[in-house]
Amino acid sequence: MSDDDENGFEDQTPDGIEIPVGPAGDADPTEVVPYGGDDDEVKRVEAALYARIGEQSPEHRLTATRRAVELLGDPHLAYPVIHITGTNGKTSTARMTESIVRAHGLRTGLMTSPHLVSIRERIVIDGAPIAADRFVENWDDIVPILEMTDKELTDKGELPLTFFEALTVLALACFAEAPVDVAVIEVGMGGEWDSTNVVQSQVAVFTPIAIDHAKQLGNTVAEIARTKSGIVKPSSAVVSSAQVPEALAELERAAELTESTLAVEGAGFSVVEVTPAVGGQLITVQGIAGRYDDLFVPLFGGYQAHNAAVAIAAVESFIGRGTQALDEDVLSEGLAGATSPGRLQPIAQEPTVVVDAAHNPHGARALAEALPVAFPSGHVVGVVGILADKDARGFVRALKDTIQTFVVTQPPGERALDADEFARVVVDEVGIDRVVVEPALAQALQEARDLADEAEAEDAMVLVAGSIVMVGAVMDLVHQESGAK
């Protein structure tokens, strides 16, 4: 092992060619996840939020959230906003965007979802999950307004504020109270009627759009893109990943109707070169306003290079309206400090355990492409579990040539697809000889480690994927193990 290889991952390709070590190659993405459990007061707030209509049952309305923030004095108008939607890559792109903006000396707010371990991860102030006392105090401050809004809604025969509507109001209030100079806000679901769309964003960002949440958003990419394009505000800057033609057409239409500018990856900006590096990758990007060479991104997977390019274009559009190149040293600092926990992240060794938040076919295909490059292995044991409303068969098909042995389990929570039911899908796709069923997650992880240890390949590894909730639970399990040693 080289001196630079502090995480225990070799700094050579399978062919023995040395690859560069990035300046933040020893960064620990888990530092931004508040392990150890939240205190009783945070749990009180969390329970109050979860007592509301669930996150996966959003109301197709903005009036409720608008009324709540109006009663609060419109805190969301106190700062500019970069608003991000898409099907996959939203959270990573949001985190990189926030990190680059913060490197420019601006105090940032970041709202993402869902969380891995603590609900406080969803509201980040200046690069760290909001402090427990501020989270609780801000909640207690807005409760009377939420209750007033609930009453107005129910008096009109409407449902009270949902979980995500209330959480959005809380995040917007937290950002105003901090206060922040700019907020980077990830859409919860869709765009047009998502509660975060009360903001008046200066930049609208679109990561790749594919079919997911079909029940809520539509059965075609065009329908989904049309809903997501609803975040574009008049005379704003629109930045988009490369899109399939039917999605791009909707974004072009939205930009034209709002008299906004549109920069699309491929024509408006692009990834020029990607080189593997210890702890991540080096990328060269042609941005909207400048070219940036050999930037270190401490994240694995070729798709993260494209997410980084989108983040750079978003910040160029925010700072200087796309006419001014970013300072390369500041940009390098921002990207090198970016984290995206749970995204192609190694969390344990002997055997290597990697977690990834892929939970739909599009994300699984990206994972299948990225994993062999980032973590070459002769035998991958997959711990897989999925939620009942996801395309389980499409997910398995995307990974069946990447994972040699499937340990089928189920994520925590009521929305999980039963392990036996999921196993029938997996067996149908890959054959019974490649499948083990273990419903209990902790036992499934141990079974996978044992199978990797017993595999003939010396570089056998464990991959955990299929559910963000499950990834968070596994990360917590491994963290508890390390604390017990």
Side-chain angles (χ1 to χ4, degrees):
M1 185 185 304
S2 73
D3 291 338
D4 293 311
D5 188 14
E6 296 180 11
N7 289 322
F9 301 104
E10 298 298 328
D11 59 349
Q12 293 186 333
T13 67
D15 298 322
I17 301 170
E18 289 191 5
I19 56 180
V21 178
D26 60 350
D28 182 6
T30 63
E31 290 174 359
V32 299
V33 178
Y35 289 107
D38 284 315
D39 62 29
D40 289 343
E41 284 294 279
V42 171
K43 290 177 181 176
R44 170 177 66 83
V45 175
E46 186 173 18
L49 281 163
Y50 279 116
R52 293 177 174 272
I53 297 167
E55 187 169 12
Q56 295 301 314
S57 301
E59 287 294 297
H60 291 204
R61 65 185 185 187
L62 279 181
T63 52
T65 310
R66 278 204 184 109
R67 180 55 176 157
V69 293
E70 179 187 18
L71 291 171
L72 273 174
D74 291 327
H76 60 300
L77 302 181
Y79 40 81
V81 170
I82 300 172
H83 205 185
I84 299 177
T85 190
T87 301
N88 289 298
K90 296 190 300 293
T91 300
S92 295
T93 303
R95 286 185 172 277
M96 283 188 267
T97 300
E98 181 275 337
S99 189
I100 296 168
V101 171
R102 182 159 37 90
H104 281 81
L106 297 172
R107 184 169 171 82
T108 56
L110 172 66
M111 180 182 179
T112 60
S113 61
H115 60 274
L116 290 165
V117 176
S118 166
I119 195 167
R120 293 187 292 113
E121 297 166 47
R122 294 175 181 246
I123 303 173
V124 173
I125 307 291
D126 224 18
I130 187 170
D133 59 345
R134 302 313 307 148
F135 180 77
V136 172
E137 288 172 21
N138 279 300
W139 170 259
D140 288 341
D141 285 344
I142 71 169
V143 163
I145 297 299
L146 299 181
E147 292 175 345
M148 191 182 306
T149 308
D150 288 340
K151 186 176 186 308
E152 290 184 3
L153 291 167
T154 54
D155 284 349
K156 292 188 296 183
E158 297 183 35
L159 291 171
L161 292 165
T162 66
F163 167 92
F164 197 73
E165 286 171 336
L167 182 69
T168 298
V169 175
L170 175 59
L172 298 176
C174 288
F175 295 154
E177 189 270 343
V180 303
D181 298 316
V182 56
V184 178
I185 296 178
E186 176 190 338
V187 164
M189 186 184 293
E192 180 183 8
W193 41 258
D194 184 79
S195 60
T196 64
N197 204 30
V198 296
V199 302
Q200 294 299 310
S201 58
Q202 284 66 44
V203 181
V205 180
F206 295 84
T207 63
I209 297 171
I211 293 177
D212 197 14
H213 300 294
K215 183 178 178 182
Q216 295 287 350
L217 303 180
N219 294 309
T220 68
V221 171
E223 285 180 278
I224 293 171
R226 193 172 307 128
T227 298
K228 292 181 184 294
S229 70
I231 72 167
V232 179
K233 302 300 190 295
S235 301
S236 61
V238 181
V239 173
S240 176
S241 300
Q243 303 285 358
V244 295
E246 53 267 44
L248 181 58
E250 293 298 331
L251 300 189
E252 289 173 337
R253 174 178 170 274
E256 182 178 357
L257 287 173
T258 58
E259 297 183 338
S260 299
T261 61
L262 174 62
V264 180
E265 183 183 6
F269 60 94
S270 62
V271 176
V272 177
E273 187 176 9
V274 180
T275 305
V278 171
Q281 54 197 310
L282 292 176
I283 67 171
T284 294
V285 172
Q286 176 59 57
I288 297 172
R291 177 183 167 112
Y292 312 100
D293 295 309
D294 295 331
L295 299 167
F296 178 68
V297 179
L299 305 172
F300 295 99
Y303 59 90
Q304 294 289 20
H306 293 278
N307 290 341
V310 172
I312 291 168
V315 178
E316 286 181 315
S317 298
F318 180 74
I319 299 174
R321 192 71 179 185
T323 63
Q324 176 183 331
L326 303 177
D327 181 281
E328 198 145 350
D329 290 338
V330 174
L331 174 58
S332 294
E333 178 188 340
L335 273 182
T339 61
S340 196
R343 275 73 182 178
L344 207 61
Q345 179 186 349
I347 61 171
Q349 302 171 24
E350 298 179 352
T352 296
V353 178
V354 173
V355 295
D356 190 84
H359 57 277
N360 55 35
H362 186 275
R365 286 191 291 271
L367 171 59
E369 182 180 335
L371 186 72
V373 177
F375 301 97
S377 172
H379 191 100
V380 177
V381 181
V383 177
V384 293
I386 201 164
L387 301 185
D389 60 348
K390 300 299 180 182
D391 181 358
R393 190 171 297 276
F395 175 83
V396 175
R397 283 179 178 170
L399 289 172
K400 67 180 182 180
D401 294 330
T402 301
I403 296 174
Q404 281 68 51
T405 305
F406 288 79
V407 178
V408 179
T409 187
Q410 60 192 56
E414 297 178 355
R415 294 174 56 218
L417 181 63
D418 178 77
D420 289 332
E421 187 176 346
F422 187 27
R424 284 192 282 274
V425 174
V426 181
V427 168
D428 192 43
E429 289 294 326
V430 307
I432 196 167
D433 293 344
R434 292 171 59 187
V435 180
V436 176
V437 183
E438 178 48 75
L441 184 56
Q443 281 81 354
L445 177 62
Q446 187 56 55
E447 176 73 16
R449 285 167 150 170
D450 291 343
L451 288 168
D453 284 337
E454 294 165 6
E456 294 182 3
E458 291 184 5
D459 54 359
M461 63 173 288
V462 174
L463 169 69
V464 181
S467 160
I468 297 172
V469 175
M470 186 176 74
V471 163
V474 168
M475 290 172 68
D476 206 22
L477 282 170
V478 172
H479 181 78
Q480 290 173 29
E481 289 175 5
S482 62
K485 291 178 181 177

